[in-house]
Amino acid sequence: MLRTALRNVLAHKARLVMTVLAVCLGVAFVSGTLVFADSSAAAYRAAASQNFAGIAVTVSPKEPPPGTAANERADVLDDALVRKLADVPGVAAVRPSADGVATLNAADGTPLRADKAWAHPAAAYVPGKDGEDSRYPLVKGHAPTNGDELAVDSGTAAAGHFRIGDKVTLATDGPVMTKRLVGIVTTKDSRVTAGGTLALFDKATAQHLFATPGHYTGIDLSAAPGTDQFELSKRVTDMLPADRAEATSGSAQAAQQATNVDMQTRGYKKLPMVFAGVSLFIGSFLIVNTFTMLVTQRTREIALLRAIGATRRQVVRSVLWEALLVGLAASAAGFVLGLGIASVLPDILGTSSDPLPRGPLVIGPRSLVAALGVGVGVTVLAAWLPSRRAAKVAPVEAMRTAEQPPSATQSRIRAVVGLALLVLGAGWLISLTGAKDASEENLQDAMFGCAVLVVAMIVLAPLLAVPVIRLTGRLTRRFGVIGHLAQENALRDPRRTAATASALMISTALVAGLAVLGNSTSLALDRQAAAGLGADYVISARSTMTGIDPAAVRRVAETSGVRTANAVTDSTVFIGGSVKEISGVDPATVKDVMKLHLTSGSLADLGPGRIAVSSTIAREHGVRAGGKINASMGMGPGRDFKQYTVVAVYKDNPIAHDVLGARTEVAKNSFLPDSVQRILVRTGSSAVSKTTEDRLRTAVGNNPLLKVQDRKEIVREAAGTMGDLLTLMYGLLAIGVVIASLGIVNTLAMSIAERTREIGALRAIGMDRAGIRRMIRLESVTVAAFGTLLGLAGGLFSAWAVGALANGAMEQYSLAMPWGTLLLVCLASLAIGAVAAAVPARRAAALSPLEAVAEA
């Protein structure tokens, strides 16, 4: 049976090549993503190891217990400790450091790589005996020697368009500073090479910014030749104050930094894995269809094997052996293609301002096992049903006909199962529309309902093929006899037609559903910003750990063109065991900058012990204006709950957050006492312009830690995930297009082989080559149209159901059809059908009438 399977594979290698390509795509994405992940991790580890090369041990202060004063925990690392560490046996050199974080402005005044809050290290330039810092080799200029000077790495200089002598504005955790660039260095810090920035100060300035004068944030020790770093770490630990400082080996630090950077960039690896899953799922239908057609074409051969003694189990094994061989070929080809994908992913996912690490490809065992397991596993599983169907055919029946239509019992079972799944999936989704709550649990339930609905459509597709194609046949019949023949050919085997259309159906459903959700959400965000924000500009801190200088608030209020500048303090409040967001505002001017729709009460009554709550909070806790609610503001360890009077209830508003309070009271209980996190700016009637925005940036000192955004920019930022969604949508469409095309080409090619005599007869009675080609193309377009219609129906219904949950989280959400995108999807699907039929149609037209009729 193994020899038989091998002979069959070699005999049908041209027809199996499409199946190999479909599986190859999925394997390539899986193996390529895994190789990319392993290679990226190795590159990060290598960069981190280079950054910590020569560092055997680092001494750092321990995290102090809650309530410890800052001056009590900053004095642990000082010059006295540096001298003591230098005398530890095995220590070759000691390098104290004062490290922190600094965000820079580029030469044009815009924040430099501000989205990478985790990748802005700042440190002291600590020269050794030779006058240079070995960790940061100088390539141009000189090291900073006083508080007015600064050095940066070459990548930061290129991204910010800095030159020696330029004035550079930056901020650490407060007001903006201006330094003169005097030096450019190189660094192997993986945070910087992963797209971050580096700022270097002289030692005294770094101590002032990140520690205290005369003290450090860390002390690096290098080991003498022949000294084990772990043994040295133990010696250092023994002489440190156990409750105030700790020693960590250089290798442990390198591993931790590599892990941290890898976690921050993990999102780059998710998108290719999504494509891999979709490729394999859609490709499985092509495999099932291919093996079903091959088994159907070989029923006489299988019958002969049964007649000479082959058992059903042997027939099943023969087909599975074929699938195994095909899977092995697909896995090998997919793995090679995956290596190519892994090598180009850093260029595709990274940019010049946001590079990904480079390094040799790392081919680990999990990549090989995944490629083999996925390719072979999917192929064998997909071929299992056709193999069982082949084994169930009795020898005598198989001798009579080469085509076995499904029995009435099988059709009834399929109908019952399909309808049950359809009712379950649709009912599940409809039941969620009443929830109007976009919680994680409800979204998971919605995904389950969508999955059941897709399975139901796949099961019912053969039964729906006849009525749907009859309906669309009104268009094809306009082509006369050729159109009628194309329609009948598509209906000849509804199971085959459904399996061929399934790939296109699934990709169309995904794209249509995501397009509707993306378009609806974008419009809802736009309406939400317009409905909730009365201000023309919002100035906000990029980090919750950073506040806005109160002096900047006054400068903004005095800026030309500004009518109102309302400072907002954002904090947290505990209500009923859950954490909510509270905004502290000025009750007198809040109506100028926030569009609040009150359902009861008045904001003028905000003050000590009095708050306003959103409709959701009021509904959850059963309160209304005049009622009482227990809450605790702030994030302190000892939460003091007290009773607050609810003076007003307003419709949910993302600008106002969950709760509103008087700013004077909220500021007392915020993480940064008396701080400001946002300034809502209302300008004159015609003052919204680039000039006004520049004035506002100047008013806040061009601080890179702050954002100045108008309404459009706020909407664009809120809709940032929509760009990822669109990328995913078009990527899924591309995958669906490729695999659906392969499926249509394969099905038509094998169908033409079955209909050789029929095509010869059509040619013999007068149909020309152009007519044969037109008939095959119309058949292909009919199948594509069937898959597209089912996909649109399923995708739009799912988008409607999931959108009902989004409406609960976003009051302005409403279903908005992207008619242009949907029309393009339909036209693209029909074009797929026409293009995929090109080769099979040419092959059919090339058949000689006499040879075709004479073929047995």
Side-chain angles (χ1 to χ4, degrees):
M1 298 305 292
L2 178 59
R3 287 196 297 270
T4 301
L6 182 59
R7 181 185 61 80
N8 285 327
V9 169
L10 295 176
H12 302 95
K13 54 183 178 294
R15 297 176 188 175
L16 289 171
V17 68
M18 300 298 177
T19 300
V20 171
L21 286 175
V23 180
C24 177
L25 281 176
V27 172
F29 278 118
V30 171
S31 59
T33 304
L34 293 176
V35 171
F36 167 65
D38 291 342
S39 302
S40 298
Y44 284 132
R45 286 194 297 270
S49 296
Q50 290 178 344
N51 186 42
F52 287 93
I55 299 177
V57 178
T58 293
V59 177
S60 56
K62 277 189 174 180
E63 188 68 25
T68 303
N71 60 353
E72 294 180 12
R73 62 191 187 218
D75 296 342
V76 60
L77 306 186
D78 54 15
D79 290 320
L81 181 61
V82 170
R83 290 190 292 271
K84 288 177 62 178
L85 291 172
D87 294 332
V88 174
V91 172
V94 179
R95 182 189 184 278
S97 60
D99 299 337
V101 175
T103 306
L104 288 72
N105 275 335
D108 61 0
T110 58
L112 185 59
R113 297 173 177 174
D115 57 319
K116 290 181 174 288
W118 53 274
H120 296 298
Y125 186 92
V126 183
K129 294 179 181 179
D130 58 356
E132 294 189 1
D133 190 335
S134 59
R135 183 176 295 185
Y136 305 112
L138 276 166
V139 294
K140 187 180 294 186
H142 64 83
T145 58
N146 58 62
D148 293 327
E149 296 180 341
L150 175 77
V152 300
D153 71 288
S154 54
T156 300
H161 303 287
F162 299 138
R163 293 179 298 180
I164 297 294
D166 285 351
K167 294 290 186 180
V168 179
T169 56
L170 69 153
T172 53
D173 61 354
V176 70
M177 300 176 287
T178 301
K179 308 287 183 183
R180 186 169 64 89
L181 183 64
V182 297
I184 296 176
V185 304
T186 59
T187 180
K188 296 176 182 178
D189 192 325
S190 55
R191 294 170 297 176
V192 181
T193 57
T197 62
L198 173 67
L200 296 176
F201 307 91
D202 66 287
K203 186 170 71 170
T205 301
Q207 287 177 323
H208 173 73
L209 291 173
F210 308 124
T212 56
H215 298 87
Y216 307 98
T217 60
I219 302 174
D220 297 329
L221 310 176
S222 59
T227 302
D228 180 73
Q229 65 174 234
F230 295 103
E231 178 61 30
L232 182 60
S233 177
K234 185 176 182 305
R235 292 176 196 165
V236 171
T237 300
D238 292 339
M239 58 84 58
L240 292 175
D243 58 336
R244 302 181 65 194
E246 61 185 350
T248 308
S249 67
S251 58
Q253 292 182 85
Q256 183 60 48
Q257 187 179 103
T259 300
N260 291 340
V261 176
D262 184 59
M263 288 179 64
Q264 294 290 343
T265 57
R266 189 167 293 174
Y268 290 117
K269 303 159 191 174
K270 293 181 180 178
L271 195 61
M273 289 302 285
V274 172
F275 290 163
V278 173
S279 299
L280 293 168
F281 182 64
I282 297 178
S284 63
F285 294 97
L286 173 56
I287 301 169
V288 171
N289 203 25
T290 300
F291 276 93
T292 299
M293 295 178 71
L294 286 174
V295 167
T296 301
Q297 291 177 357
R298 299 201 327 252
T299 46
R300 295 194 178 209
E301 174 188 329
I302 294 171
L304 180 60
L305 290 174
R306 292 292 311 284
I308 62 176
T311 64
R312 290 187 176 185
R313 185 174 297 177
Q314 287 178 309
V315 172
V316 170
R317 282 205 300 263
S318 175
V319 176
L320 294 183
W321 270 113
E322 289 183 51
L324 176 64
L325 295 173
V326 170
L328 287 172
S331 298
F335 189 78
V336 173
L337 180 59
L339 295 180
I341 291 176
S343 64
V344 299
L345 275 179
D347 294 326
I348 295 174
L349 298 177
T351 63
S352 58
S353 61
D354 191 10
L356 290 179
R358 281 289 188 179
L361 293 180
V362 176
I363 303 174
R366 71 166 183 165
S367 303
L368 292 167
V369 171
L372 189 63
V374 167
V376 174
V378 169
T379 309
V380 171
L381 285 175
W384 182 69
L385 284 176
S387 71
R388 287 182 59 82
R389 189 177 301 162
K392 289 180 180 179
V393 178
V396 175
E397 291 182 43
M399 286 295 189
R400 292 175 183 169
T401 178
E403 190 171 342
Q404 299 293 327
S407 65
T409 302
Q410 289 177 327
S411 297
R412 282 194 295 270
I413 293 174
R414 178 182 287 270
V416 170
V417 173
L419 287 173
L421 291 173
L422 183 64
V423 170
L424 175 62
W428 193 282
L429 290 174
I430 291 173
S431 68
L432 292 173
T433 58
K436 291 189 178 298
D437 177 15
S439 64
E440 184 176 352
E441 182 180 355
N442 281 339
L443 289 176
Q444 290 176 350
D445 287 343
M447 292 177 63
F448 172 77
C450 292
V452 173
L453 190 64
V454 168
V455 174
M457 293 170 62
I458 293 170
V459 174
L460 289 175
L463 304 178
L464 295 173
V466 175
V468 172
I469 292 178
R470 293 285 185 201
L471 179 64
T472 59
R474 295 179 181 179
L475 296 176
T476 57
R477 285 198 294 271
R478 292 179 180 271
F479 291 88
V481 175
I482 290 176
H484 181 76
L485 287 173
Q487 177 186 327
E488 293 303 317
N489 286 334
L491 292 173
R492 177 175 296 186
D493 189 342
R495 290 183 299 180
R496 179 186 302 173
T497 298
T500 304
S502 291
L504 200 56
M505 177 187 72
I506 294 169
S507 59
T508 302
L510 286 170
V511 172
L514 290 175
V516 172
L517 288 173
N519 186 61
S520 302
T521 303
S522 295
L523 293 177
L525 289 169
D526 198 357
R527 288 191 293 267
Q528 189 179 63
L533 181 63
D536 299 302
Y537 292 94
V538 176
I539 303 173
S540 59
R542 296 182 182 276
S543 170
T544 57
M545 305 295 291
T546 303
I548 301 176
D549 183 7
V553 179
R554 292 191 295 272
R555 292 195 299 270
V556 169
E558 295 168 357
T559 299
S560 175
V562 172
R563 190 173 76 188
T564 304
N566 195 312
V568 179
T569 296
D570 293 321
S571 187
T572 56
V573 59
F574 290 81
I575 302 177
S578 59
V579 181
K580 303 297 181 182
E581 293 179 289
I582 184 171
S583 297
V585 297
D586 180 358
T589 59
V590 66
K591 290 184 178 179
D592 289 339
V593 293
M594 291 186 187
K595 292 182 179 179
L596 295 168
H597 301 279
L598 300 181
T599 59
S600 62
S602 171
L603 293 177
D605 297 328
L606 287 175
R610 299 189 298 273
I611 60 175
V613 299
S614 66
S615 299
T616 298
I617 299 296
R619 184 174 59 252
E620 289 177 352
H621 297 278
V623 297
R624 55 186 178 182
K628 305 288 186 180
I629 191 169
N630 288 323
S632 174
M633 292 187 191
M635 294 287 291
R639 299 191 192 101
D640 182 20
F641 281 86
K642 66 178 183 179
Q643 201 171 63
Y644 287 85
T645 300
V646 177
V647 298
V649 176
Y650 56 90
K651 289 186 177 180
D652 290 9
N653 186 316
I655 305 300
H657 294 158
D658 304 302
V659 182
L660 280 175
R663 194 175 76 83
T664 52
E665 184 171 9
V666 175
K668 294 176 183 177
N669 299 283
S670 66
F671 184 79
L672 298 171
D674 300 320
S675 66
V676 174
Q677 276 69 49
R678 289 182 289 165
I679 309 175
L680 305 184
V681 180
R682 185 75 179 269
T683 63
S685 58
S686 60
V688 179
S689 64
K690 182 67 167 62
T691 302
T692 303
E693 183 176 338
D694 290 341
R695 289 174 181 167
L696 293 175
R697 292 187 186 278
T698 302
V700 295
N702 286 319
N703 194 325
L705 299 178
L706 304 181
K707 296 182 290 186
V708 179
Q709 300 171 294
D710 59 20
R711 292 190 193 184
K712 291 182 179 179
E713 290 171 327
I714 291 171
V715 171
R716 194 180 304 120
E717 182 181 67
T721 53
M722 291 300 105
D724 297 335
L725 187 64
L726 290 175
T727 300
L728 176 64
M729 180 182 77
Y730 292 121
L732 295 175
L733 177 61
I735 291 174
V737 164
V738 172
I739 297 180
S741 300
L742 295 176
I744 293 173
V745 170
N746 214 25
T747 299
L748 289 177
M750 300 180 78
S751 177
I752 288 169
E754 293 178 355
R755 289 154 41 199
T756 300
R757 297 176 65 183
E758 174 188 322
I759 293 171
L762 290 174
R763 294 278 286 115
I765 61 176
M767 184 177 287
D768 58 8
R769 295 180 187 272
I772 294 293
R773 288 196 294 268
R774 193 177 302 117
M775 179 185 70
I776 300 300
R777 288 197 188 99
L778 285 174
E779 180 183 348
S780 177
V781 170
T782 298
V783 173
F786 169 61
T788 302
L789 287 175
L790 285 190
L792 283 175
L796 296 181
F797 179 80
S798 299
W800 167 77
V802 175
L805 298 179
N807 182 252
M810 201 180 304
E811 188 176 350
Q812 290 78 14
Y813 182 93
S814 62
L815 202 65
M817 294 293 184
W819 296 111
T821 302
L822 296 178
L823 178 61
L824 285 176
V825 169
C826 293
L827 293 177
S829 298
L830 297 179
I832 291 167
V835 172
V839 174
R842 190 180 302 114
R843 184 175 299 174
L847 290 174
S848 169
L850 294 178
E851 293 178 4
V853 172
E855 185 173 309

